Amino acid sequence: MQNMEVERVFIGAGCNRVVNNVSWGASGLVSFGAQNAVAIFCPKTAQILTTLAGHKASVNCTLWLPNSKFAFKAKQLEQHLLLSGDAEGVIILWEYSLVDAKWRYVLQVPQVHKKGVTCITAIMVSQQEAVFASASSDGTVNVCEVVFPSTRGGDCKLSCSDSLFVGQKPMVALSLAELPGNSKQLVLAMGGLDNKIHLYCGERNGKFLRACELKAHTDWIRSLDLSLPVYVNGESSLLLVSSSQDKGIRIWKMTLQDSSASNKKQQTSLASYIKGPVLVAGSSSYQISMESLLIGHEDWVYSVEWQPPSTSSVEGIECFQPQSILSASMDKTMLIWQPEKTTGIWMNVVTVGELSHCALGFYGGHWSPNADFILAHGYGGSFHLWKNVGIEYDDWKPQKVPSGHFAAVSDIAWARCGEYMMSVSHDQTTRVFAPWLNNTSVQNEESWHEIARPQVHGHDINCVTVIKGKGNHRFVGGADEKVARVFESPLSFLKTLSHVTSDNSSFSADIQADVQILGANMSALGLSQKPIYVQASTPIDRSNTEGFDTLETVPEAVPVVLTEPPIEEQLAWHTLWPESHKLYGHGNELFSLCCDHDGKLVASSCKAQSAPVAEIWLWQVGSWKSVGRLRSHSLTVTQMEFSHDNKYLLAVSRDRHFSVFQINHKGTDEIDYQLVAKQEAHKRIIWSCSWNPFGHEFATGSRDKTVKIWAVGTETSVKLLLTLPPFKSSVTALSWLSLDNHSNHGLLAVGMENGLIELWNLDSRGGDGHLSVQNASPAVKFDPFLCHVSTVQRLSWRNPQKSEDSETVQLASCGADHCVRIFRVNVT
């Protein structure tokens, strides 16, 4: 068992809700912050490849060196670098090797900001050198120079050359460029809360001096981007594009003044501009003027970006700057702007957007290195990708992207046959992830995607349980409210599922025949999701409705059968499940749920500080009547689980006790229950518990960093079998897998507060078969690159559990780092 291998199958995560959080690298990969981790995704496969752990606070900005803007200088590079800045002011440098796709933590930038990093910008001054600047809420801007390692794993030289204090109003947008005709001089543009653009000049490793400021915007500056030098009619200039919360975009031109021709009269033309300040850098001076004002967005413009230059020579040194700008705004649209050929007036030539009622706008937009893709990230942690599929004219089509929660993921549950996994989160959504068989690939690989979003709620969701047994797919969810809600799968989901699993069994066909509900609609001001029936699925004509996008008139959902992984707009709106029942009874917010293995009973608990409130309620599946109230604990019951034969219900609580209840079904409607054991098991809160899938042994894990294995005896007494050696962090999640039910050999997955996961071998030795003495030995510690970066909230082995001939099992986990993860464990 010591050569057990663990590999990553899937990561689902949303993007932090911050501007400047996303960067598209010359490597073709996209980086973004997901809570305290830096996540990397591949746009080609729509899969998150890895997460980088190192930050202790939420990641605000990421930046590739080189990014898509400098892809033309990256042809020979084997190592790419990545910068990430967090909410505590720490900036970390990472190295990515293109040869073997391996990541390495290089260093933490020594000059730490006192407050959160708001923006990072960089310029490649040569194939091996870059200069980057970082801005922070503490009112400082730091400039550093970094030299790429000459060999793989070699040293990265980093030197901080300057630190500028910009005053009480911090900068939130930065851009760097080399000045035309004077490549030793760099210009640093910065903008922020004082509505002005400040220009600083300096040499690569020297001090930067304030040169001038540009006043025109009437609200905060949100984004700046300097182009590469532009040569027109023998005059060299630099273009700066700026966007602001005043909804406008401005283009500024910096023209190198020819000292001999300075007294010549300027020609007047349609593109004549208002004279602005003169920027002096060393011996050169540059006339700044406003070239254009672009009005088209109806809300704050969060990002503007010049189209990456295309290389015109073989060496890739000479290149030209395309006259094309991508802007992203909170009005849910991204626009591409280009000057008209005849007049030179800048026009909006492409508009792409998210028309869903749920999206609240875009926080940033980015070009791919070849400018054939554009990517936006939105308020709901979501990505939106478009590809230009047009040949003679532009035609942008939406593409699939990775998705996931944008807040802590509180619970996960596998479908009864393991076809999909369901997760719930404090982002107030329930999501379904499933493996989608990729027919285009050679190996017929399956890749995981989010295929439905059954619940979009108004409260943080804390717990979920999938109903086992026969019949349609159902689940119960519990949020920060006093009612648990029961949901039933609509016909559109069942048909999609048969596509996904390529399982056209009669079992699913029978269910489909009975289901009369096609999908569900969001209610305008309530929290319940209303069913859309198969007969009444004709859409309502709303052509005369005024104010379509108001709260009172929520657009109708159009449930469809998905034949490929859905994009965000479909997920957020058209994949809801109807709510069939509400379970009233608890006095506080729901905290945990579980279902028995026959699908007859659901147990629920809520947040509690007294014994009457801490009761566990039992609900009968189907009639949804309350059939029992189990009183034992005095504080919140944190997790519950039924034993494999449904004879016992185990509950663990904040009061440091566990309870075992015996459950007997007396008739169809009646249930007899009694408390058979209650014991103070740990010195601190017990966070988790898990039964042996084939026995009456169970494990408990606690904040006191210990895991204990217990057994329920024949006289319904509970005996401690063993205590595992103390862990380095609080134990927050446990899941027991049986590898061989004859020899009672199992694997216990242990998740901790520091995000790490370990597997332990559990073996029975002797005894009478029931009350056996367990031997425990560590099987494998997961590589930190595979693990979560914050608390592991829940672990769950995929069921059905390992078949005799299978050599691998799958383990799902969710955490406070917004991630849902699936691992493949080779148990041979």
Side-chain angles (χ1 to χ4, degrees), residues 467-612:
I467 309 295
K468 311 281 200 315
K470 296 188 174 72
N472 194 2
H473 297 263
R474 288 175 293 184
F475 75 92
V476 184
D480 275 346
E481 53 180 350
K482 297 173 186 179
V483 290
R485 296 171 187 269
V486 185
F487 294 86
E488 193 157 323
S489 164
L491 193 60
S492 57
F493 178 79
L494 293 172
K495 290 186 171 173
T496 299
L497 199 61
S498 58
H499 265 288
V500 173
T501 53
S502 59
D503 169 32
N504 300 315
S505 61
S506 57
F507 171 61
S508 55
D510 289 349
I511 297 177
Q512 287 181 27
D514 294 339
V515 175
Q516 295 302 310
I517 295 173
L518 190 63
N521 261 324
M522 189 92 70
S523 68
L525 296 169
L527 293 168
S528 301
Q529 292 168 190
K530 303 283 186 283
I532 300 171
Y533 291 95
V534 175
Q535 293 83 4
S537 62
T538 49
I540 299 166
D541 178 31
R542 289 183 181 266
S543 51
N544 306 327
T545 313
E546 290 296 320
F548 178 67
D549 207 9
T550 61
L551 275 175
E552 291 77 32
T553 57
V554 179
E556 291 283 316
V558 186
V560 290
V561 179
L562 301 167
T563 52
E564 56 182 23
I567 57 171
E568 178 69 19
E569 193 174 345
Q570 293 166 307
L571 285 168
W573 205 237
H574 305 303
T575 59
L576 294 170
W577 289 21
E579 185 183 304
S580 61
H581 291 88
K582 292 184 185 69
L583 311 181
Y584 292 97
H586 286 290
N588 279 339
E589 299 94 332
L590 270 283
F591 195 81
S592 77
L593 286 162
C594 76
C595 177
D596 71 355
H597 300 281
D598 292 339
K600 291 179 180 170
L601 282 181
V602 167
S604 63
S605 74
C606 71
K607 294 178 184 175
Q609 296 197 331
S610 63

Side-chain angles (χ1 to χ4, degrees), residues 398-471:
Q399 305 291 309
K400 60 176 189 273
V401 282
S403 64
H405 295 283
F406 59 94
V409 188
S410 39
D411 201 359
I412 47 175
W414 284 100
R416 58 191 170 207
C417 301
E419 313 98 301
Y420 58 83
M421 183 190 68
M422 194 170 270
S423 60
V424 296
S425 159
H426 292 169
D427 70 3
Q428 308 187 344
T429 64
T430 301
R431 302 179 190 233
V432 170
F433 298 94
W436 201 287
L437 202 64
N438 189 358
N439 300 323
T440 53
S441 68
V442 186
Q443 299 92 359
N444 248 7
E445 292 171 357
E446 57 176 32
S447 62
W448 285 74
H449 298 276
E450 184 179 348
I451 64 160
R453 207 166 291 171
Q455 187 184 10
V456 177
H457 204 37
H459 294 289
D460 295 4
I461 309 175
N462 298 324
C463 47
V464 66
T465 185
V466 171
I467 309 295
K468 311 281 200 315
K470 296 188 174 72

Side-chain angles (χ1 to χ4, degrees), residues 331-351:
D331 65 7
K332 309 181 192 177
T333 62
M334 276 206 303
L335 307 181
I336 296 177
W337 305 83
Q338 288 170 1
E340 211 179 47
K341 288 196 168 57
T342 49
T343 59
I345 295 174
W346 284 80
M347 306 287 283
N348 160 27
V349 293
V350 174
T351 304

Side-chain angles (χ1 to χ4, degrees), residues 296-297 325-337 348-356 359 361-362 364-367 372-377 383-389 394-399 567 569:
H297 285 295
I325 292 169
L326 175 70
S327 63
S329 161
M330 277 306 268
D331 65 7
K332 309 181 192 177
T333 62
M334 276 206 303
L335 307 181
I336 296 177
W337 305 83
N348 160 27
V349 293
V350 174
T351 304
V352 293
E354 196 52 32
L355 301 172
S356 91
F362 293 147
H366 301 274
W367 293 96
D372 52 350
F373 287 89
I374 50 176
L375 174 78
H377 66 106
F383 285 107
H384 311 265
L385 181 68
W386 288 269
K387 181 184 183 181
N388 188 1
V389 295
D394 282 5
D395 182 14
W396 295 87
K397 288 277 186 281
Q399 305 291 309
I567 57 171
E569 193 174 345

Side-chain angles (χ1 to χ4, degrees), residues 182 254-259 278-287:
N182 190 353
M254 300 181 205
T255 312
L256 176 61
Q257 285 192 311
D258 185 357
S259 50
V278 173
L279 175 120
V280 180
S283 56
S284 314
S285 56
Y286 300 83
Q287 173 69 54

Side-chain angles (χ1 to χ4, degrees), residues 9 183 211 296 349 377 434 695 709 787:
V9 174
S183 59
V349 293
H377 66 106
I709 312 291
C787 292

Side-chain angles (χ1 to χ4, degrees), residues 634-654:
S634 56
L635 294 172
T636 309
V637 172
T638 53
Q639 197 180 350
M640 302 170 290
E641 196 174 291
F642 284 93
S643 61
H644 68 99
D645 53 5
N646 298 325
K647 190 177 172 185
Y648 299 113
L649 173 65
L650 167 66
V652 294
S653 162
R654 281 180 174 271

